Amino acid sequence: MIRVLLADDQSLVRAGFRALLDAQPDIAVAGEAADGEEAVRLVRELRPDVVLMDIRMPLLDGLAATRRITSEADLAAVRVVMLTTFELDEYVFEAIRSGASGFLVKDTEPEELLRAVRAVVEGDALLSPGVTRRLIAEFAARSKAPSEDGALAGLTEREREVMALVGIGLSNEEIARRLVVSPLTAKTHVSRTMVKLGARDRAQLVVLAYESGLVRPGWLG
């Protein structure tokens, strides 16, 4: 059973999400929070698998709440998905840096929301390929100069190659076709790379790919 915490200051939004999620046989809403402070408290208390976190909330906004959650080692298994009104909200990029596993627009189709909740628990790509590539393009445009600190020294050549492909927005299936391996092998390489680098999920792997200099703006086709 996937346990979800809803964090949004609009009760109607929470009610809509709860009705959809609770109707699924494998998903249950563990709790609801109306502000960021309450969200952090309930995450510590309930230990949900996924938090659907609105970016704009009173007392403590979604970004600050996400940073608190992702900075606590004993909450490492909790995945935070940011909720935003616009696909390329100005805060989305900071959300990814803060440890969020991705983001969803509030008017997303019900099937996409359910697919996203299930995918993020598995550590898979949360966003559709089109949205992922737009996000990566925007992140690349805003990214800092590549670091040369040898952060990727522990990776094999194949793992670096796989990380670069994740960085330009390819799915496991697309990586498999590019490298002529099975999707399971591609997923294994991605998982091992995340473990070695301490990345929570693919979103963090994308950030690391750019910040390490492995992928540079301009590689996007």
Side-chain angles (χ1 to χ4, degrees):
M1 183 66 70
I2 300 172
R3 301 172 67 250
V4 179
L5 176 71
L6 304 175
D8 194 297
D9 61 337
Q10 298 181 43
S11 58
L12 284 177
V13 171
R14 297 198 310 273
F17 282 152
R18 175 181 279 277
L20 173 64
L21 296 170
D22 275 345
Q24 307 308 307
D26 60 333
I27 301 175
V29 174
E32 297 183 22
D35 59 68
E37 291 282 4
E38 186 178 19
V40 174
R41 179 179 62 79
L42 287 178
V43 167
R44 290 169 176 161
E45 176 185 333
L46 302 174
R47 305 300 174 95
D49 300 297
V50 179
V51 182
L52 296 181
M53 180 88 74
D54 187 22
I55 286 182
R56 298 177 180 85
M57 288 189 293
L59 298 183
L60 188 70
D61 66 31
L63 288 174
T66 297
R67 282 193 289 270
R68 288 192 189 180
I69 292 167
T70 59
S71 67
E72 296 188 17
D74 59 343
L75 299 179
V78 178
R79 296 289 177 260
V80 179
V81 177
M82 306 302 298
L83 300 173
T84 179
T85 305
F86 305 103
E87 280 189 350
L88 293 179
D89 188 290
E90 62 180 328
Y91 296 113
V92 165
F93 314 103
E94 183 59 31
I96 298 299
R97 286 181 180 275
S98 299
S101 296
F103 74 103
L104 289 172
V105 290
K106 287 187 177 181
D107 62 353
T108 190
E109 293 295 324
E111 295 79 10
E112 182 65 20
L113 173 65
L114 296 172
R115 188 159 49 243
V117 168
R118 293 178 177 120
V120 75
V121 169
E122 297 297 323
D124 292 334
L126 168 63
L127 309 172
S128 66
V131 174
T132 299
R133 289 191 177 92
R134 288 201 298 276
L135 173 61
I136 291 170
E138 289 290 332
F139 178 81
R142 298 166 183 236
S143 64
K144 301 176 182 178
S147 62
E148 302 294 339
D149 59 2
L152 309 184
L155 300 184
T156 64
E157 285 303 313
R158 177 45 63 94
E159 287 165 348
R160 285 170 179 257
E161 189 175 12
V162 168
M163 182 176 176
L165 295 175
V166 171
I168 62 173
L170 298 193
S171 66
N172 287 343
E173 290 72 20
E174 290 169 327
I175 292 172
R177 288 195 295 271
R178 181 75 65 91
L179 300 181
V180 195
V181 298
S182 71
L184 180 58
T185 297
K187 182 175 182 179
T188 298
H189 283 309
V190 172
S191 297
R192 286 177 179 169
T193 302
M194 288 193 295
V195 169
K196 285 186 178 182
L197 296 177
R200 293 170 63 91
D201 47 42
R202 292 176 78 99
Q204 290 288 289
L205 203 58
V206 170
V207 172
L208 291 171
Y210 279 99
E211 293 189 333
S212 67
L214 183 65
V215 177
R216 299 172 186 270
W219 284 24
L220 294 165

